[in-house]
Amino acid sequence: MTVTRFAPSPTGYLHVGNLRTALMNFLIARKAGGTFILRLDDTDRERSKPEYADAIKADLDWLGLHWDREERQSARLDRYAEAAEGLRASGHLYEVFETPAELELKRKKQLNMGRPPVYDRAGLALDEAQKARLRAEREGYWRFRLDQERTEWQDGILGPVSIDTASVSDPVLIRADGQVLYTFASSVDDIDMGITHVVRGADHVTNTATQIQIMRAIGGAPPAFAHHSLLTGPQGEGLSKRLGTLSLRDLRARGVAKEALLSLMARLGSSQPVELMMSLDEIAAGFDLSQFGAAPTRFDAEDLWPLTRQRNQALPFAAVRERIAALGVPDALAERFWAVASQNITTLDELDHWWRLCRDGATPVIAPEDAEFVAQALALLPDPPYGDDAWAAWTQKVKAATGRKGRSLFMPLRLALTGQPQGPDMAELMPLLQKVPGRG
């Protein structure tokens, strides 16, 4: 069975980069009829917050990315301790004592000598007496001894990947305070939970070589890995400084439709065209990991608005009935109001503007040269309510009385009734008007 996972750290809110990873893993499981696991990487006790965990789940739930099982790494500390003990026994995990300052000094010396700044494995040369003396001065921490050979895998997006781990420092797996780090905990979890496919960002490629070795050292078979490209801004700039404004909760608050967000993120960076899809089943059916490329992918939040507009304008009245009722639109006008307003909105929040215009009337916009004409026209306008032929009948009267026609007739009247030069067809809008300038 296909088993995938999304493993965010509850140390902040989800953003579009996180969503790309979550969505790809969800779609792989959905398409195969497999299992999708939400695994909270909450071993960082200081930075992990319950409110962030709740927000992550709320965002996924809003998008419909429902998980089959939830796991928390903080509940698996005993398992990590057991796995660590096994790695110590096999000689894969060794204790080290260098301070950050000492490591930086080593790094500078290596660079000055033209060597790569790779950890020199000094900890492996320590005997028990030396370790005991160092423990009396400072806490030790634990590194994984890499097999210094090429680690290879067939990447689902990048194709054949080969990493020479001789050029990589032995990674720290357990800190001096006992905190288990991501590289280790994730490797143990992926084996224990039977993860078959892992999709994540290209910044994890080197990390994947390390994790493959860890997985094999604890007796497991690595899953199939795929590394998607990283997102940039619309001009190719890094997104790191903008991710706060690209959080899913922020985009949702601004009125972005979930279907727009999912449709864009499911195709962005692939050879397939972006098109609005209204369900996750439809998105999953067309999802193909092999269509994605390795080049950095440009993301522009502005691309979400045409898709949001398309989605909202396609909604049936039944989908917005309660929202329209909450605005105070009378039941007798509700369906007609939606038919008119829906084609003139991007976000559903804009419905409020159109109902206030219908209910309270607009502030007229009248050019000085049209003031006399508009006053004469409004004198010919009867009080509401208006029937289906009200606009045609009124404009015919005004035309006959003033001699105006075409744009010089219609635009000043539109501006007088709505205060804006564009909007719904006036013949359709007028029966919805409850008040007009100068009328009760």
Side-chain angles (χ1 to χ4, degrees):
M1 172 182 283
T2 298
V3 183
T4 66
R5 47 75 163 178
F6 175 50
S9 297
T11 55
Y13 298 111
L14 293 185
H15 51 71
V16 290
N18 302 136
L19 171 57
R20 198 153 179 245
T21 299
L23 180 59
M24 286 183 170
N25 285 288
F26 175 88
L27 292 175
I28 289 171
R30 181 73 163 253
K31 192 169 184 177
T35 298
F36 175 62
I37 298 173
L38 172 61
R39 193 171 76 208
L40 295 172
D41 179 1
D42 59 351
T43 57
D44 187 333
R45 294 182 291 271
E46 292 184 4
R47 298 176 61 229
S48 295
K49 305 293 182 184
E51 56 266 33
Y52 290 134
D54 291 342
I56 287 169
K57 291 191 281 188
D59 283 339
L60 294 178
D61 193 53
W62 167 57
L63 292 166
L65 304 183
H66 303 304
W67 52 98
D68 299 296
R69 195 166 96 227
E70 179 184 338
E71 299 280 356
R72 289 178 178 262
Q73 291 189 328
S74 58
R76 291 175 48 78
L77 299 181
D78 289 346
R79 171 62 184 127
Y80 305 141
E82 177 188 13
E85 194 56 42
L87 290 179
R88 290 188 188 96
S90 65
H92 284 93
L93 201 61
Y94 63 99
E95 193 173 13
V96 293
F97 298 90
E98 289 92 348
T99 66
E102 290 169 343
L103 289 174
E104 180 61 21
L105 182 59
K106 287 185 178 185
R107 179 179 177 277
K108 288 180 178 178
K109 286 182 177 179
Q110 288 171 312
L111 289 173
N112 288 337
M113 296 171 66
R115 298 175 181 173
V118 176
Y119 178 62
D120 61 8
R121 293 186 162 180
L124 283 173
L126 298 173
D127 60 28
E128 288 305 318
Q130 290 172 315
K131 291 178 184 179
R133 284 196 299 272
L134 287 168
R135 289 190 192 110
E137 300 173 6
R138 65 189 75 165
E139 295 289 338
Y141 52 102
W142 298 84
R143 289 183 182 267
F144 179 78
R145 181 173 58 80
L146 290 167
D147 293 331
Q148 295 184 326
E149 58 186 24
R150 300 203 74 84
T151 300
E152 301 176 347
W153 71 93
Q154 183 67 27
D155 195 278
I157 293 175
L158 304 178
V161 177
S162 177
I163 301 291
D164 182 5
T165 53
S167 64
V168 179
S169 291
D170 289 344
V172 175
L173 299 192
I174 303 174
R175 291 189 349 186
D177 62 1
Q179 181 182 331
V180 176
L181 298 185
Y182 162 83
T183 306
F184 183 39
S186 180
S187 301
V188 175
D189 289 345
D190 285 345
I191 296 303
D192 287 0
M193 296 175 189
I195 303 300
T196 61
H197 295 75
V198 172
V199 183
R200 53 189 181 183
D203 52 334
H204 282 284
V205 169
T206 300
N207 187 48
T208 295
T210 297
Q211 289 187 303
I212 287 174
Q213 288 201 18
I214 294 172
M215 291 173 180
R216 289 172 177 163
I218 62 176
F225 286 98
H227 293 84
H228 61 69
S229 60
L230 300 182
L231 296 180
T232 71
Q235 305 304 318
E237 72 277 17
L239 281 186
S240 57
K241 293 182 180 179
R242 298 183 53 221
L243 286 177
T245 63
L246 296 176
S247 69
L248 302 191
R249 68 201 313 262
D250 178 69
L251 293 172
R252 181 183 184 184
R254 290 166 59 193
V256 170
K258 63 180 181 181
E259 294 87 350
L261 192 53
L262 292 169
S263 296
L264 179 63
M265 300 313 291
R267 293 284 179 86
L268 197 65
S270 79
S271 60
Q272 297 173 294
V274 173
E275 54 188 0
L276 180 68
M277 291 172 278
M278 295 295 283
S279 73
L280 279 164
D281 283 337
E282 184 182 1
I283 293 173
F287 180 73
D288 184 352
L289 202 60
S290 69
Q291 299 295 309
F292 288 83
T297 300
R298 297 190 180 194
F299 170 80
D300 189 346
E302 292 303 309
D303 292 338
L304 292 166
W305 299 117
L307 292 168
T308 293
R309 183 183 306 115
Q310 184 182 348
R311 176 264 195 183
N312 286 337
Q313 292 183 354
L315 289 176
F317 172 66
V320 295
R321 183 192 304 271
E322 293 183 5
R323 189 179 187 118
I324 289 176
L327 294 175
V329 181
D331 289 345
L333 294 178
E335 192 160 2
R336 183 167 196 162
F337 170 75
W338 171 245
V340 172
S342 65
Q343 302 309 301
N344 294 273
I345 61 170
T346 294
T347 72
L348 292 177
D349 289 341
E350 293 168 27
L351 290 172
D352 181 63
H353 159 76
W354 286 109
W355 178 241
R356 281 189 284 106
L357 185 150
C358 293
R359 182 191 64 203
D360 303 330
T363 300
V365 174
I366 303 172
E369 63 272 20
D370 291 324
E372 184 177 342
F373 164 72
V374 170
Q376 186 177 359
L378 290 177
L380 296 172
L381 178 65
D383 292 334
Y386 300 116
D388 291 342
D389 62 348
W391 174 256
W394 180 43
T395 53
Q396 279 297 109
K397 286 183 182 179
V398 175
K399 180 179 179 180
T402 66
R404 286 208 187 193
K405 58 184 178 180
R407 182 178 175 83
S408 67
L409 167 68
F410 298 118
M411 183 56 70
L413 299 184
R414 171 183 282 280
L415 288 169
L417 294 188
T418 71
Q420 51 196 62
Q422 296 177 329
D425 186 298
M426 289 301 298
E428 297 176 355
L429 179 64
M430 215 160 163
L432 294 167
L433 299 181
Q434 311 293 292
K435 187 182 291 186
V436 296
R439 300 281 198 275

